[in-house]
């Protein structure tokens, strides 16, 4: 039996790099040798026991690698090709997928909420030397030679998610957009708003490093929620309310502020992961008569999404490499978790090299 090193969740606040069995590709699967991966804020929720996964699971869901093995039935690929795989791996066959809701894939069945998110959630994930990719035909996206691993790794999750916040918000050319929180997801939502043609983008956060990065990713104005009445300031800057507000944190406060910033008929596009109860005060959405839209999105995945995102990078519409602030070998991933979790040293995303 072949072995590999992998990051294993053992229990609350307990992850370890262990030797585990190396996966083999079954029918329709592929195995990739991971060359670069990273840590997501959601992995921190897993580590802290706030999002439950089974002890013994290999975590991580942002893989770049080289095809090591192709299972029967996977065609059009060769061993040795470089591929990017999305954090979300839709089957491409179920009712949800064929209705266009790939992230809510039921893999073979109907719809399953968040069902498309399998890596490091319901099956072994990417913070390892090797990764089994299910439904490989729908999920292996070949990386153009001219793009480096570093240029594409953030497309697997945070860019796909952040951009989808802008896309789901249906931003029109000339829109005024406010983005609540400028963590990795919010920064990508800011970049996404620019790609969609917004002409006034307001980034909100309370961290000077991140506010500076927001400008670099496309924000025209940044607001520090610690020192500014954000809702009032957005209303002033937009002449009465933003066309689209993107929520990229997942709290009652930012959700509510995002809603209060909107003009009548505006759209709140929500990306945050919430817990407990979320409330909507009646005056913030005109008692239900303000023609507001509230939409939510889970990170889109699948090879066509990844191909499109790689084109965005290849055509130089966006450069995400400034967000990769630190690099660690896989053996030192627990130190990377510490740095990332404590937000030390201006960290935004860490490159992990198996
Ligand atoms: N929808 C999806 O598919 C998806 C995918 C991945 C992550 N997420 C979720 O997106 C959210 C953001 O993820 P992240 O990794 O960017 O988070 P993060 O924790 O790295 O960043 C959060 C940012 O929020 C800022 N902040 C805190 N309070 C604030 C306030 N009141 N107003 C404005 N900013 C404030 C912090 O300074 C920080 O920069 C999380 O809820 C995460 O679980 C969603
Ligand atoms: Zn993630
Ligand atoms: Zn499916």
């Amino acid at each position: 039996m072949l072995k590999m090193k992998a990051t294993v969740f053992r229990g609350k606040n307990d992850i370890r790099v262990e030797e585990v069995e190396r996966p083999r590709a079954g029918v329709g699967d592929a195995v990739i040798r991971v060359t670069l991966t990273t840590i997501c804020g959601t992995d921190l929720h897993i580590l802290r026991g706030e999002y439950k996964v089974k002890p013994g699971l290999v975590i991580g869901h942002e893989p770049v690698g080289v095809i090591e093995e192709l299972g029967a039935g996977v065609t059009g690929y060769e061993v040795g090709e470089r591929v990017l795989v999305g954090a979300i791996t839709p089957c491409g066959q179920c009712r949800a997928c064929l209705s266009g809701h790939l992230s809510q894939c039921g893999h073979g069945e109907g719809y399953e909420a968040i069902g498309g998110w399998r890596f490091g959630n319901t099956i072994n994930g990417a913070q390892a030397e090797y990764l089994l990719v299910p439904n490989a035909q729908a999920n292996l996206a070949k990386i153009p030679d001219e793009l480096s691993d570093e240029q594409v790794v953030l497309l697997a999750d945070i860019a796909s998610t952040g951009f989808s916040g802008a896309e789901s918000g249906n931003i029109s050319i000339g829109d005024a957009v406010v983005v609540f929180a400028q963590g990795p997801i919010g920064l990508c939502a800011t970049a996404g708003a620019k790609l969609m043609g917004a002409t006034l983008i307001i980034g909100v956060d309370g961290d000077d490093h991140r506010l500076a990065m927001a400008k670099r990713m496309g924000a025209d104005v940044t607001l520090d929620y610690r020192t500014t009445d954000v809702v009032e300031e957005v209303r002033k800057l937009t002449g009465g309310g933003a066309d689209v507000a993107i929520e990229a944190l997942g709290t009652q406060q930012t959700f509510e502020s995002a809603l209060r910033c909107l003009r009548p008929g505006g759209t709140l596009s929500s990306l945050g992961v919430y817990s407990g109860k979320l409330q909507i005060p009646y005056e913030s959405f005109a008692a239900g008569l303000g023609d507001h839209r509230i939409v939510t999105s889970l990170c889109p995945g699948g090879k066509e999404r990844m191909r499109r995102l790689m084109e965005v990078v290849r055509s130089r519409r966006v450069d995400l490499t400034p967000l990769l602030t630190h690099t660690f070998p896989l053996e030192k991933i627990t130190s990377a978790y510490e740095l990332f979790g404590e937000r030390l040293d201006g960290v935004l995303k860490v490159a992990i090299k198996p």
Side-chain angles (χ1 to χ4, degrees):
M1 186 209 300
L2 292 170
K3 295 276 187 183
M4 68 167 183
K5 287 198 197 83
T7 310
V8 179
F9 173 78
R10 284 288 158 208
K12 192 173 168 179
N13 296 321
D14 184 6
I15 50 167
R16 305 174 201 171
V17 178
E18 295 180 3
E19 289 262 305
V20 304
E21 193 179 332
R22 204 163 118 179
R24 300 301 307 266
V27 174
D29 303 328
V31 170
I32 65 168
R33 177 170 57 78
V34 179
T35 51
L36 188 65
T37 185
T38 176
I39 304 174
C40 177
T42 308
D43 297 323
L44 294 176
H45 292 304
I46 291 173
L47 174 62
R48 293 168 183 155
E50 296 156 3
Y51 184 92
K52 298 271 179 277
V53 300
K54 272 203 200 112
L57 186 80
V58 177
I59 55 177
H61 51 261
E62 300 164 275
V64 178
V66 173
I67 298 176
E68 177 77 13
E69 200 187 328
L70 290 164
V74 185
T75 58
Y77 296 94
E78 305 280 348
V79 168
E81 282 178 319
R82 296 170 63 225
V83 288
L84 168 68
V85 185
I88 305 294
T89 48
C91 74
Q93 305 291 330
C94 71
R95 282 173 56 203
C97 283
L98 293 172
S99 304
H101 298 285
L102 281 77
S103 303
Q104 316 302 331
C105 168
H107 23 95
E109 305 295 326
Y111 290 79
E112 181 189 331
I114 330 177
W117 175 31
R118 304 181 71 190
F119 288 145
N121 180 26
T122 54
I123 63 173
N124 279 340
Q127 289 164 11
E129 290 178 297
Y130 295 87
L131 172 71
L132 181 112
V133 180
N135 301 113
Q137 195 70 48
N139 287 295
L140 297 175
K142 294 181 194 177
I143 303 173
D145 288 342
E146 63 217 87
L147 295 182
S148 67
D149 290 1
E150 284 75 11
Q151 280 176 292
V152 301
V153 66
L154 301 184
L155 302 174
D157 183 359
I158 65 160
S160 190
T161 302
F163 292 179
S164 79
E167 293 166 287
S168 302
N170 253 330
I171 292 173
S172 296
I173 292 171
D175 270 354
V177 177
V178 56
V179 184
F180 279 86
Q182 295 294 308
I185 300 280
L187 287 166
C188 289
T190 296
K194 185 162 181 196
L195 286 168
M196 294 288 289
T199 45
L200 173 61
I201 302 170
I202 305 165
V204 185
D205 205 289
D207 176 316
D208 295 330
H209 248 90
R210 292 176 176 213
L211 289 171
M213 189 56 79
K215 284 256 170 81
R216 209 160 150 188
M217 299 305 286
D220 301 284
V221 180
T222 56
L223 300 177
D224 186 335
Y225 73 86
R226 295 168 305 180
T227 53
T228 314
D229 181 336
V230 173
V231 174
E232 192 185 303
E233 194 58 28
V234 170
R235 291 184 155 281
K236 217 183 283 168
L237 287 165
T238 55
D243 299 294
V244 178
I246 300 176
E247 201 285 347
L249 182 61
T251 65
Q252 172 69 35
Q253 199 224 314
T254 43
F255 181 88
E256 198 175 316
S257 296
L259 199 54
R260 289 183 192 279
C261 280
L262 285 180
R263 63 162 169 79
T267 300
L268 166 53
S269 176
S270 169
L271 293 172
V273 176
Y274 303 90
S275 52
K277 207 185 262 178
L278 202 54
Q279 290 180 323
I280 301 181
Y282 78 98
E283 77 282 2
S284 67
F285 79 143
L289 303 177
D291 288 333
H292 298 97
R293 292 175 33 193
I294 298 176
V295 292
T296 66
S297 329
L298 173 60
C299 174
K303 67 180 177 186
E304 172 58 8
R305 174 69 172 178
M306 293 302 118
R307 186 197 67 79
R308 285 170 175 265
L309 297 183
M310 286 191 281
E311 281 306 300
V312 175
V313 172
R314 201 166 68 92
S315 62
R316 299 178 194 277
R317 301 299 198 273
V318 156
D319 176 14
L320 300 168
T321 53
L323 303 187
L324 273 182
T325 51
H326 297 72
T327 303
F328 288 83
L330 179 65
E331 297 83 56
K332 298 239 165 75
I333 196 168
T334 51
S335 310
Y337 265 93
E338 256 173 56
L339 177 98
F340 184 67
E342 303 292 321
R343 272 202 241 143
L344 303 173
D345 197 26
V347 65
L348 280 165
K349 290 288 275 188
V350 286
I352 304 292
K353 294 198 164 166

